[in-house]
Amino acid sequence: MPQNQLIAPSSGAGNFSTLGNAVSKTSAWKDVYVAWFPYKQLSVTAAYVDLGTIATEKNQNGLYLSLTSSF
């Protein structure tokens, strides 16, 4: 993903302000996950992702938890 993203103006599709388009700085992302298989038919997965800043939205992060079984 590029480090600088072009943000469209909010005043409409064809109506550009005097500043034109704004540039938003994005940050590097990171994630960590762990999977555990207590039995052949059961797995537990947990993850955390930190996407940093995307466009103008800051602190984009989240958790993930999955429990999977089969028979």
Side-chain angles (χ1 to χ4, degrees), residues 16-27:
F16 291 97
S17 67
T18 57
L19 296 176
N21 292 328
V23 176
S24 174
K25 186 83 170 161
T26 58
S27 56

Side-chain angles (χ1 to χ4, degrees), residues 19-53:
L19 296 176
N21 292 328
V23 176
S24 174
K25 186 83 170 161
T26 58
S27 56
W29 58 270
K30 54 190 164 263
D31 63 356
V32 61
Y33 69 94
V34 62
W36 178 47
F37 302 90
Y39 304 106
K40 186 176 181 179
Q41 299 86 2
L42 181 66
S43 69
V44 179
T45 305
Y48 172 77
V49 63
D50 181 5
L51 300 175
T53 301

